Amino acid sequence: MKNPKITLALISLIIILSAIASITGIFSSDGFESFTFESIHGEETIVYGKGLYGYMPEDVAVQGIAQDYVTLFIGIPMLIIGMYFSLKGSFKGRFILAGTVGYFFVTYLFYMLMAMYNEYFLIFVSLAGLSFYALAILLLSFELKSIRSLFNSDTQVKLPGIFLVINGFNIAFLWLSIVVPPLLDGTIYPSGLGYFTTLVVQGLDLSLLLPMSIIIGILLIKKNSYGYLFGPIYLVFLSILMVALVAKIIAIGLTGGTIFPAVIIIPLTMIIAFYSAYSLIKNLNS
């Protein structure tokens, strides 16, 4: 692996800072009583009122805490395992590490942009930046010309590719069903916007992550070298992200929120993502 010392330093910082942020998010409880806040659009929102996410809407705060559990008990161990095997020269370890770093980048990019300003803002900024540069270094460590030779000749890439294409369009249509109807009937602002200034999740998904899923899927189907590079990495990232979304669904359900049809779609997507990632990575030559 190229630049192992730099990569190790970046990953170590990500582990330390994300552990601090996650533990604080899970266990902090100081604050004030929850209260109802009326947004500029006249929509009433229950503010959570305690801990790191005290000024977040209640339904969003509990999702943040649920994801902190996933980051702490799944994301960080995967960083450690991936880094350990990467340093030993394992390509499987390097793909897993890159996909996991991708999860940290997307997670803290959302935290940095979406969480109400709090004392951990600079930690979120640092984690987004550190994981971005760590991911860039990891991607550049692969030799694109020889990437296909890392996989066994009988590796099946068509089904994982089709899954990535379907996943991209599926979530895109879901988000557009929220954004487009208010534009057509003149109300403009979607229900559930609350006191957020914009739809951060939908915006980043529709502009970056979902087109990326579709493009990588097409490249995999065509057996393009970029597909072999980005396919396993994106699938590892997506697998961890889906675990986080399942945790969020459980948190919403426990607070009495509506979880259908997400309670069916997200776990199914998680299972397929896991299988697709495993099917590619197991066929990597040692």
Side-chain angles (χ1 to χ4, degrees):
M1 183 173 65
K2 298 177 181 178
N3 303 307
K5 292 183 179 179
I6 296 175
T7 306
L8 179 60
L10 290 173
I11 298 299
S12 298
L13 287 171
I14 292 170
I15 290 171
I16 293 169
L17 291 178
S18 62
I20 293 172
S22 298
I23 291 170
T24 304
I26 293 169
F27 296 107
S28 60
S29 58
D30 56 313
F32 44 87
E33 293 293 327
S34 62
F35 63 91
T36 301
F37 178 87
E38 184 174 331
S39 74
I40 194 172
H41 308 301
E43 186 173 345
E44 291 190 346
T45 302
I46 298 176
V47 177
Y48 189 55
K50 59 183 179 181
L52 187 62
Y53 311 120
Y55 284 99
M56 296 289 290
E58 184 177 52
D59 59 332
V60 179
V62 297
Q63 292 180 59
I65 294 170
Q67 182 156 6
D68 285 337
Y69 275 104
V70 173
T71 298
L72 184 63
F73 293 110
I74 296 179
I76 291 176
M78 285 188 67
L79 281 181
I80 296 171
I81 293 170
M83 191 68 218
Y84 173 79
F85 285 105
S86 294
L87 291 174
K88 287 184 169 294
S90 168
F91 283 106
K92 293 181 180 180
R94 201 188 306 180
F95 273 105
I96 291 172
L97 178 61
T100 306
V101 171
Y103 163 79
F104 277 80
F105 170 59
V106 171
T107 294
Y108 287 104
L109 179 64
F110 279 110
Y111 276 42
M112 179 179 70
L113 297 176
M114 189 174 181
M116 296 299 291
Y117 186 87
N118 58 47
E119 61 270 33
Y120 274 35
F121 174 73
L122 289 179
I123 291 182
F124 297 156
V125 170
S126 299
L127 282 165
L130 290 167
S131 53
F132 171 80
Y133 290 110
L135 180 59
I137 291 173
L138 285 166
L139 290 175
L140 292 172
S141 71
F142 290 95
E143 296 289 344
L144 188 62
K145 292 181 179 179
S146 60
I147 195 75
R148 292 182 63 175
S149 66
L150 299 180
F151 294 83
N152 296 327
S153 58
D154 59 348
T155 302
Q156 298 296 318
V157 297
K158 187 173 183 179
L159 288 179
I162 292 173
F163 163 68
L164 285 175
V165 173
I166 293 174
N167 172 72
F169 280 111
N170 185 39
I171 305 301
F173 285 131
L174 174 63
W175 291 153
L176 289 173
S177 71
I178 294 174
V179 175
V180 173
L183 296 176
L184 295 178
D185 64 22
T187 56
I188 308 299
Y189 305 103
S191 174
L193 183 61
Y195 61 14
F196 290 110
T197 58
T198 190
L199 296 175
V200 177
V201 174
Q202 289 78 2
L204 290 177
D205 272 357
L206 288 169
S207 62
L208 298 176
L209 299 178
L210 299 179
M212 189 183 301
S213 179
I214 295 168
I215 293 169
I216 293 173
I218 293 172
L219 292 172
L220 262 181
I221 294 170
K222 291 181 173 293
K223 297 186 177 181
N224 183 281
S225 295
Y226 285 104
Y228 281 93
L229 172 60
F230 291 109
I233 294 173
Y234 194 96
L235 285 166
V236 170
F237 148 73
L238 186 62
S239 298
I240 307 173
L241 183 64
M242 287 299 110
V243 175
L245 291 182
V246 168
K248 290 183 177 185
I249 291 170
I250 293 172
I252 294 171
L254 291 175
T255 58
T258 302
I259 59 175
F260 186 83
V263 70
I264 297 174
I265 296 173
I266 299 303
L268 180 61
T269 303
M270 178 188 71
I271 292 170
I272 300 174
F274 267 122
Y275 175 78
S276 299
Y278 171 76
S279 69
L280 290 180
I281 291 176
K282 78 170 183 178
N283 281 295
L284 278 164
N285 297 314
S286 300

